[in-house]
Every structure is written in structure tokens, then in C-alpha cells.
Amino acid sequence: MSARIPAVVVVVVVTALALTGCQGTTSSAPTPVQSSDLTSSDGGFDQHAVIGVVLLQSAATPGATSGGTALSTRFHDDLTAAGFTPDVRVAGAADPSADQASAVRALVRAGAKAVLVEAADPAALAGAVQVAHDAGVVVIALGDPLPVSGTGGDGVSADYRVQGADSDAATVARATAVVESLQRGEKPDVG
């Protein structure tokens, strides 16, 4: 029986050492990469990813610069042609700011990798932009810049801005090119 005691002691000592070694390597999960820190090493996202688009009520109606196609339809068609899964939402006329904030939050919950926003009231979207950033979603302002705000110390705003072009088609093409760059894990050229 005395021969078994050393074997049991060895097993207990080895197990204790192994567990002690594990304690030194146990840590909390790494901080997720924030959308504004996107680099090519991050790998972007899946080509068939959900891309959210949040537009004003006027985007549902063909305008003078749209070539007879509503902006919401043009975004849907161009993002689909680029291989993405677009989720286009148009704010109601009664309270567009609240509708847009709700839409951004819903798109984050739906797993959107990027959200394009044509803001009715940029300041009213500060909380929704913070939610998107906290989830690692890239936010792209269409037209007016989104405000810097938040509680993270350095504030939060849209990661990128696509300024309006001469036509809806050109604006949508620029925005789609930004999303394609992000999908590849590249910082887009928005200049």
C-alpha cells in the first residue's frame, strides 16, 4: 500500500501545478475591435452580410436627381448587386428622428455589419450610434455628419461620411464602394 501513496501524491502534485499554470493565463475576453479601428488585419466581414440603410421619408419617392428610381430602391438594388443583404428602412413622416433611432437599434440587433444613415436630426441619433459602436457596427453618415457624443471619453460619431453627389446614383455608388472596402477589411477612401 505504501507504493500507491507516492503515485497518488504525484498525480495530485501534477494536477495542482497544471491548475496553477492555468490561473496565470485566464483573463477576460479581449476587447472587441471597434468599428473605427478597422484595419485589413481584421478581415472585414462576410460578403453576404446584412447592410442596414436608414433613410428619410423623401427617399421612398423618386426625385429630380434619382433618374426615376426611389433612393431606397436604388440602395436595395445596388447593395444586392454587390453581393450584400440590404435591409433598407425609411423613417415615417410623423417622427423621423425617433423612427431612425429605432431603426438603427433594430439593425444592430438584426446583425448588420454596417449601417448607412441619412439623418433627419443628427443630434437625435447620438444614442443609437453609440449602441451601434458598442456592437462593433460600422456607421456611415450619408450627407450631414453625425455628432460626436457618448460616454466613452473620446466620444463617438459616424466612422465614415459619404457626402451627397450630383445624383442619387452617384451617392449610392460611393456608399456601396465604401461598404465593399469595409467588407474587404480596408479603410475606404471617402475623399
Side-chain angles (χ1 to χ4, degrees):
M1 198 148 158
S2 64
R4 290 187 180 192
I5 292 176
V8 170
V9 170
V10 169
V11 169
V12 170
V13 170
V14 170
T15 302
L17 287 174
L19 290 175
T20 302
C22 288
Q23 289 175 355
T25 60
T26 302
S27 63
S28 61
T31 303
V33 175
Q34 294 298 312
S35 52
S36 59
D37 296 334
L38 187 69
T39 65
S40 59
S41 64
D42 295 325
F45 47 84
D46 181 57
Q47 183 175 11
H48 302 289
V50 173
I51 305 300
V53 183
V54 180
L55 300 169
L56 298 172
Q57 179 66 34
S58 60
T61 309
T65 64
S66 67
T69 303
L71 184 61
S72 57
T73 301
R74 189 173 299 277
F75 265 111
H76 182 273
D77 293 349
D78 284 17
L79 288 169
T80 299
F84 299 106
T85 304
D87 187 342
V88 180
R89 298 177 186 217
V90 177
D95 191 357
S97 297
D99 288 352
Q100 288 187 320
S102 294
V104 169
R105 287 182 173 96
L107 288 164
V108 169
R109 285 190 305 273
K113 298 299 181 186
V115 176
L116 302 140
V117 181
E118 178 189 33
D121 177 6
L125 291 176
V129 171
Q130 180 69 54
V131 167
H133 279 182
D134 289 348
V137 176
V138 179
V139 179
I140 303 158
L142 298 171
D144 293 334
L146 296 175
V148 174
S149 65
T151 59
D154 57 356
V156 54
S157 66
D159 298 295
Y160 302 100
R161 179 178 173 211
V162 175
Q163 294 186 20
D166 294 340
S167 69
D168 286 349
T171 300
V172 173
R174 283 185 190 171
T176 301
V178 168
V179 174
E180 289 173 321
S181 291
L182 293 168
Q183 183 271 323
R184 292 187 302 266
E186 302 167 352
K187 288 190 181 267
D189 177 19
V190 290

